[in-house]
Amino acid sequence: MDYQQNLAEHISQNLKLELTIEDVLKLIEAPKFAEHGDLAFPCFSLAKSMKKSPAVIAEQLAGQLGGDLFEKVSAAGPYVNFFLNKSKVSHDVLLEILEKKHHYGDLEMGGGKNIPIDMSSPNIAKPFSMGHLRSTVIGNALANILQKCGFTPIKINHLGDWGTQFGKLIVAYKAWGDEQKVKENPIKELLKLYIDFHEKAEKDPGLERQGREWFKKLEDGDQEALRLWKWFREESLKEFNKIYDLLNVQFDSYQGEAFYNDKMDDAVKMIDDSGLLVEDQGAMVVKLDEENLPPSLIKKSDGATLYVTRDLAAAIYRHQIYDFAQAVYVVGNEQTLHFKQLKLVLKKLGLQWSDHIVHVPFGMILKDGKKMSTRKGKVVLLEDVLSDSIKLAERNILAKNPHLQNKAEIARQVGVGAVIFHDLHHERMNTIEFSLEDMLKFEGETGPYLQYTYARARSILRKASILTKLDPTAGLKDPLAWEVIKLLIDFPKAVERAYHKYEPSIVSKYLIDLAQAFNRYYGNVRILEENAELQTRLQLVEAAAIVLKEGLALLGIAAPEEM
């Protein structure tokens, strides 16, 4: 049950003012201190229309509101404080969670509508670096949250598999490459060739020209250029999929930039036919002066297309194929201008669905205060970080629980979970300084802490061995249990807030709060003590475990039964 909604309806009916339930809902808040109640309604905004002081209005409302949902309703200055009926509410909440299990918190706002999510999108022939982690795990978490809200997410890995860099790579491979070395370790060798190219190009500018020429051959369908490009792409995907398998991230589409090669002419023609395409210093652009933005460059002076040309073609194609309710792009905040331009060009074309394109930006992962650069070889490989994290998890397991079954699998779940949670616990717009030490911490507000809390709950339930049906008259009044109950009530709201703000960290922070409350309860209450409340205490443990597991699943993190 949504207790805030229920309270808002009661208040709205009693006020008999032009104040909707939605208006009241916006005003209801949770007091900072438990002694002030579970919910509070401030009366400041009513003073003018009711021609009374907020304190008088609060006193009046407190006398009118009540019912079996509340143990007490009292006025405290300008606030009406509501104390929920702990026994009834805890019983109702536990029953709902145990009946719905992992469907608890499911929302129906999406109505099954499609939402393609452009995420991860690494560049072919380059290593999967820490720089690509954010788009991958934020995008995956958002897809899970959207599904929880009733939408149909479509995860698209828009691979960077086209562009001048492939001309450069072909030049480097033909000049210095070794086929056998590339076959043995494709990403490492291709990265080495890419770095070598840029180092040599600083002394020999002619290499840049050769790179452009080979990319032009690739665009024109030259057989040797195409053969090498396809080989680079296939070998890269094999390596990427090792990372995706570790992260347990799957995609519905791998249609990258190259997929839109035969679709860009139509997009350019549509712009040209609309009269928007104009020449500017030899290039073809769409002017965005009215919006105080630089022009959107559609074609270079040599006729080559750009990212925005491909993204225009991709957006049009995706709308035709998916008829989306929204199209989400999980791309770094340095591309904010690009997406503003993309939306405006589509809007100028009269495509009203452009309003439903959503850029979900995020801050960078920095190393020593600087952006990681593949070109300069300053890059931290995600595979290395995941490997180190898994090894650390293995060492911890051997030290603390050497007889644990499936040690290797649990170490993988814990090690990978630590890396994912470290990212998703930060608000996505924050810039993160790369620190392997911080990332691999297993104490404090971390993924392993949440996983351990879940495993502890499952251990309690195994010791209890059997759960009987909840006694309809039973409820928990214990203050520590009540803190857990209140957080369990808030799970659907946390999911909804995360959806509206495209912010997985809301779920991360919620789970930390729930785990901390549960561990306080566990540390102070003898849960398995034989008395009248035993079954209800076990129901609370079961409910907390269900929500912890579902919350971790939303973040893309596994919940081991034992640790």
Side-chain angles (χ1 to χ4, degrees):
M1 178 187 282
D2 187 334
Y3 297 101
Q4 289 194 22
Q5 179 76 21
N6 185 290
L7 176 57
E9 289 169 5
H10 275 73
I11 293 173
S12 183
Q13 288 165 7
N14 272 276
L15 286 173
K16 297 182 176 63
L17 292 170
E18 289 183 9
L19 205 61
T20 66
I21 294 169
E22 287 70 28
D23 294 331
V24 176
L25 261 176
K26 289 174 186 173
L27 294 171
I28 293 172
E29 54 191 60
K32 288 183 181 177
F33 303 104
E35 58 266 29
H36 294 161
D38 302 305
L39 298 169
F41 179 72
C43 299
F44 302 105
S45 61
L46 303 175
K48 187 176 180 181
S49 58
M50 294 183 74
K51 297 182 174 57
K52 296 176 185 176
S53 75
V56 170
I57 297 168
E59 195 69 45
Q60 181 184 322
L61 271 177
Q64 294 171 343
L65 295 165
D68 64 350
L69 187 60
F70 303 106
E71 287 175 354
K72 184 172 78 170
V73 180
S74 63
Y79 288 88
V80 186
N81 292 334
F82 300 86
F83 297 78
L84 289 166
N85 182 326
K86 294 181 178 60
S87 182
K88 173 179 169 46
V89 170
S90 63
H91 164 263
D92 291 349
V93 170
L94 295 180
L95 192 60
E96 182 181 1
I97 295 171
L98 295 173
E99 283 180 350
K100 291 183 176 178
K101 297 194 182 303
H102 72 276
H103 289 296
Y104 177 64
D106 284 6
L107 302 170
E108 298 177 1
M109 63 182 73
K113 293 173 184 171
N114 291 333
I115 298 187
I117 304 175
D118 191 314
M119 54 180 277
S120 194
S121 309
N123 290 319
I124 291 298
K126 294 182 186 176
F128 202 119
S129 73
M130 283 301 299
H132 292 104
L133 175 70
R134 303 217 70 193
S135 176
T136 306
V137 297
I138 292 170
N140 192 54
L142 287 178
N144 295 332
I145 290 164
L146 286 166
Q147 190 163 33
K148 188 81 174 166
C149 292
F151 293 96
T152 302
I154 299 151
K155 292 188 281 187
I156 299 173
N157 197 339
H158 187 74
L159 295 166
D161 60 0
W162 204 249
T164 311
Q165 71 265 30
F166 290 99
K168 296 175 180 180
L169 197 57
I170 290 168
V171 170
Y173 175 73
K174 287 176 73 65
W176 318 294
D178 182 316
E179 183 177 354
Q180 193 55 40
K181 284 184 178 178
V182 173
K183 283 181 176 177
E184 287 171 3
N185 200 333
I187 296 293
K188 182 180 177 183
E189 282 303 312
L190 292 173
L191 174 62
K192 183 174 179 295
L193 289 170
Y194 189 73
I195 293 168
D196 285 350
F197 178 91
H198 284 97
E199 285 177 352
K200 289 179 169 61
E202 286 180 7
K203 298 172 185 174
D204 180 4
L207 285 172
E208 292 281 357
R209 176 182 50 75
Q210 290 178 44
R212 288 193 296 272
E213 286 172 355
W214 268 101
F215 179 55
K216 186 71 169 65
K217 287 183 181 182
L218 183 59
E219 285 194 307
D220 293 341
D222 178 87
Q223 287 304 303
E224 186 178 11
L226 278 172
R227 178 184 66 80
L228 288 171
W229 171 78
K230 284 177 182 175
W231 181 44
F232 296 158
R233 190 181 192 277
E234 287 165 8
E235 294 297 336
S236 297
L237 268 179
K238 285 178 194 171
E239 295 300 303
F240 291 162
N241 282 327
K242 291 178 187 176
I243 306 292
Y244 293 132
D245 287 346
L246 268 178
L247 293 171
N248 196 26
V249 173
Q250 293 86 35
F251 294 94
D252 301 295
S253 166
Y254 282 90
Q255 291 168 350
E257 292 176 39
F259 177 78
Y260 297 99
N261 280 346
D262 62 352
K263 297 169 180 61
M264 286 187 294
D265 285 348
D266 288 344
V268 174
K269 185 176 185 300
M270 185 188 294
I271 300 168
D272 198 12
D273 289 348
S274 70
L276 292 172
L277 204 61
V278 296
E279 187 178 336
D280 186 355
Q281 298 178 8
M284 302 306 291
V285 305
V286 174
K287 296 275 190 178
L288 301 173
D289 298 349
E290 295 165 20
E291 291 79 12
N292 295 317
L293 291 176
S296 181
L297 187 56
I298 305 299
K299 268 193 173 185
K300 290 183 182 176
S301 54
D302 63 1
T305 52
L306 293 105
Y307 285 124
V308 74
T309 326
R310 292 175 188 281
D311 276 351
L312 286 166
I316 293 166
Y317 174 82
R318 289 172 189 173
H319 189 261
Q320 288 170 347
I321 297 298
Y322 302 121
D323 188 27
F324 55 69
Q326 296 171 46
V328 173
Y329 293 78
V330 185
V331 182
N333 61 356
E334 66 272 20
Q335 294 296 324
T336 298
L337 173 61
H338 168 80
F339 284 103
K340 283 181 179 176
Q341 291 176 317
L342 176 71
K343 287 185 70 169
L344 280 169
V345 173
L346 290 167
K347 186 85 167 176
K348 283 175 173 286
L349 287 170
L351 303 172
Q352 297 305 314
W353 49 261
S354 60
D355 290 338
H356 305 303
I357 287 177
V358 180
H359 175 214
V360 177
F362 53 85
M364 289 186 288
I365 296 182
L366 303 179
K367 189 169 187 288
D368 303 322
K370 296 177 182 176
K371 184 179 178 180
M372 297 179 192
S373 170
T374 309
R375 182 178 293 188
K376 295 178 181 176
K378 294 179 179 177
V379 66
V380 177
L381 302 185
L382 178 56
E383 189 172 15
D384 291 346
V385 173
L386 291 172
S387 176
D388 288 347
S389 190
I390 292 166
K391 285 173 187 171
L392 180 60
E394 284 174 341
R395 288 200 296 273
N396 283 350
I397 289 169
L398 284 171
K400 296 178 181 177
N401 194 356
H403 303 297
L404 181 68
Q405 298 292 311
N406 303 319
K407 284 194 282 287
E409 175 59 17
I410 291 170
R412 185 191 68 78
Q413 293 176 345
V414 174
V416 172
V419 174
I420 293 174
F421 190 83
H422 179 268
D423 188 296
L424 296 182
H425 191 43
H426 290 88
E427 291 183 16
R428 60 176 165 78
M429 285 305 292
N430 287 356
T431 296
I432 304 172
E433 177 65 36
F434 174 76
S435 164
L436 196 58
E437 185 182 342
D438 287 347
M439 193 168 284
L440 303 189
K441 278 181 183 171
F442 282 44
E443 291 78 33
E445 297 184 0
T446 66
Y449 170 73
L450 294 177
Q451 290 170 316
Y452 183 72
T453 303
Y454 171 77
R456 171 181 275 173
R458 297 308 305 171
S459 174
I460 294 167
L461 296 169
R462 281 194 297 275
K463 286 176 184 173
S465 78
I466 188 165
L467 289 172
T468 60
K469 191 175 180 183
L470 184 64
D471 178 351
T473 62
L476 290 170
K477 296 183 178 180
D478 176 271
L480 291 170
W482 184 238
E483 289 306 307
V484 178
I485 292 288
K486 285 198 292 184
L487 282 160
L488 293 175
I489 292 169
D490 197 42
F491 180 58
K493 291 284 187 188
V495 173
E496 188 174 356
R497 289 195 299 273
Y499 157 64
H500 284 302
K501 294 187 176 182
Y502 302 96
E503 184 59 84
S505 70
I506 291 172
V507 175
S508 306
K509 290 175 169 62
Y510 165 85
L511 290 175
I512 290 293
D513 290 344
L514 176 60
Q516 289 173 340
F518 176 80
N519 284 319
R520 282 193 294 273
Y521 177 68
Y522 170 86
N524 289 278
V525 175
R526 293 171 62 89
I527 294 172
L528 293 174
E529 186 175 56
E530 292 275 1
N531 61 28
E533 283 192 344
L534 172 62
Q535 290 303 325
T536 313
R537 289 197 300 273
L538 290 174
Q539 299 289 357
L540 177 64
V541 175
E542 173 81 351
I546 287 169
V547 173
L548 280 169
K549 184 174 184 177
E550 182 61 11
L552 284 166
L554 290 179
L555 300 178
I557 299 172
E561 296 292 306
E562 295 181 79
M563 276 178 70

